[in-house]
């Protein structure tokens, strides 16, 4: 036996799963690999991720995928055609517009609402929750009572009141939904912060002279992100439904924008005879909402630290 042989180089998987990482980069990549492995074991979660990728693909290439204009129709020869008609796979609406094209372009509005609400509401909730949980006392009481005021109203009712005050429109609808969406994130961030603020890790950082602002922003907020990401993903379906509800009531996106809720509202007059006018955008909302829920469930299981030891 030759004792001078060089040790075998570890494979990529062995390098990622090493219990003694040699750098922070290796440790972070290893954790991401473990999370991805647990996530892919859930087939329903993968299906939700594929639905989300499909939505992103359709929204990105709407100009190429849409066979017709989403706002111009043919009242003379293409009004209320059933699905499968020549050139109209999902039929047409009362204005002679292709429903498939309107659904494809409507995916952009759906992503616009979802992304903007998440960008506005999640950071606000994270900031309020971490400050409240770390400061405690009077600050905690004031911030949580403000949060309770927002939580006391049903989300859709409060959004309706805000949009009625601001005026109809997709931008005002996004702002109203964001204002009603941040309190649950603040509650989660506060609960997470209260479990971390007295830990040895935070005490060591405090003894090193870090200011409260630095502790909250650089040390506590990152620890709350995993729970917040899961909650945001699970709330995407509710955000889509709230936006569709505002559009259905005429307070969201205004005609001729192809917003899915507004499409259902325009098709409710023909629900008995021309069912496809309202059913097709309803099916689109159902599929996308289901995809976000499946993705959120998968992320919750994959990011759960209790799963790591099993």
């Amino acid at each position: 036996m030759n004792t001078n042989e060089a040790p075998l180089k570890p494979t990529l998987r062995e390098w990622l799963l090493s219990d003694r990482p040699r750098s922070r980069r290796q440790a972070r990549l290893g954790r991401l690999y473990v999370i991805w492995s647990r996530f892919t074991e859930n087939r329903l979660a993968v299906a939700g991720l594929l639905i989300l990728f499909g939505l992103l693909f359709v929204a990105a290439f709407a100009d190429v995928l849409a066979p017709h204009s989403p706002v111009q129709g043919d009242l003379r020869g293409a009004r209320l055609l059933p699905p499968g008609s020549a050139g109209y796979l999902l039929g047409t609406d009362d204005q002679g517009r292709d429903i498939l094209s309107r659904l494809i372009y409507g995916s952009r509005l759906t992503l616009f609402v979802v992304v903007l609400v998440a960008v506005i509401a999640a950071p606000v909730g994270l900031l309020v929750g971490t400050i409240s949980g770390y400061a405690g006392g009077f600050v905690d009481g004031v911030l949580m009572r403000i949060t309770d005021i927002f939580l006391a109203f049903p989300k859709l009712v409060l959004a309706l009141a805000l949009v009625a005050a601001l005026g109809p429109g997709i931008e005002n609808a996004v702002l109203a939904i964001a204002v009603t969406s941040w309190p649950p994130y603040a509650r989660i961030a506060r609960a997470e912060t209260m479990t971390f603020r007295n830990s040895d890790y935070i005490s060591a950082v405090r003894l090193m002279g870090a200011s409260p602002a630095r502790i909250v922003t650089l040390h506590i907020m990152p620890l709350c992100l995993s729970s917040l990401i899961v909650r945001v993903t699970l709330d995407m379906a509710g955000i889509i439904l709230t936006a569709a509800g505002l559009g259905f009531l005429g307070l969201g996106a205004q005609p001729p924008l192809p917003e899915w809720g507004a499409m259902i509202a325009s098709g409710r007059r023909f629900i008995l005879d021309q069912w496809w006018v309202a059913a097709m955008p309803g099916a689109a909302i159902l599929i996308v909402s289901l995809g976000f829920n499946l993705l959120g469930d998968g992320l919750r299981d994959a990011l759960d630290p209790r799963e790591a030891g099993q």
Side-chain angles (χ1 to χ4, degrees), residues 259-300:
E259 199 273 326
W260 293 348
M263 291 174 64
I264 296 177
S266 65
R268 71 182 186 275
R269 297 173 294 167
F270 316 101
I271 192 65
L272 295 179
D273 298 323
Q274 291 80 25
W275 53 268
W276 58 88
V277 181
M280 296 305 175
I285 294 174
L286 172 64
I287 293 173
V288 173
S289 300
L290 179 62
F292 276 113
N293 278 330
L294 294 177
L295 177 62
D297 287 337
L299 287 176
R300 180 181 58 192

Side-chain angles (χ1 to χ4, degrees), residues 85-268:
S85 302
Y88 301 101
L89 183 62
L90 300 182
T92 60
D93 61 7
D94 59 318
Q95 301 295 321
R97 298 171 296 195
D98 179 40
I99 293 178
L100 176 60
S101 299
R102 289 179 63 77
L103 290 179
I104 291 174
Y105 276 92
S107 63
R108 291 182 171 179
L109 292 176
T110 299
L111 283 177
F112 174 78
V113 172
V114 166
V115 172
L116 276 187
V117 169
V119 168
I120 296 173
V124 171
L126 179 62
L127 182 63
V128 172
T130 51
I131 292 176
S132 176
Y134 185 78
F138 177 77
V139 175
D140 180 32
V142 171
L143 292 179
M144 286 301 101
R145 297 299 77 76
I146 295 174
T147 304
D148 290 339
I149 292 174
F150 282 90
L151 289 174
F153 296 93
K155 184 180 294 187
L156 182 58
V157 174
L158 185 56
L160 284 172
L162 292 174
V163 174
L166 297 173
I170 187 67
E171 294 85 2
N172 292 338
V174 169
L175 181 60
I177 297 172
V179 169
T180 62
S181 298
W182 68 266
Y185 307 146
R187 282 290 188 182
I188 292 176
R190 175 179 178 270
E192 293 279 342
T193 302
M194 293 183 70
T195 61
F196 297 139
R197 68 178 182 181
N198 294 324
S199 63
D200 294 339
Y201 167 70
I202 299 300
S203 299
V205 174
R206 192 183 298 114
L207 289 174
M208 293 176 65
S211 64
R214 182 180 180 87
I215 293 174
V216 169
T217 56
L218 297 183
H219 300 283
I220 293 181
M221 282 188 178
L223 296 175
C224 302
L225 284 180
S226 60
S227 300
L228 199 70
I229 290 172
V230 172
R231 181 57 192 257
V232 169
T233 307
L234 289 172
D235 281 353
M236 291 301 181
I239 293 172
I240 294 173
L241 292 176
T242 303
L246 294 176
F248 182 85
L249 296 174
L251 297 175
Q254 299 300 297
L257 291 177
E259 199 273 326
W260 293 348
M263 291 174 64
I264 296 177
S266 65
R268 71 182 186 275

Side-chain angles (χ1 to χ4, degrees), residues 15-65:
W15 183 78
L16 290 172
L17 297 179
S18 174
D19 56 352
R20 294 182 179 180
R22 298 183 178 181
S23 64
R24 291 185 179 181
R25 176 173 172 268
Q26 182 180 357
R28 291 171 181 171
L29 291 177
R31 172 163 172 76
L32 290 176
Y33 178 77
V34 171
I35 293 174
W36 175 251
S37 300
R38 292 205 300 261
F39 179 82
T40 53
E41 292 175 357
N42 189 337
R43 295 184 178 181
L44 292 178
V46 175
L49 183 62
L50 292 177
I51 292 174
L52 176 59
F53 281 153
L55 179 66
L56 293 172
F57 177 81
V58 169
F61 298 98
D63 297 332
V64 179
L65 297 175

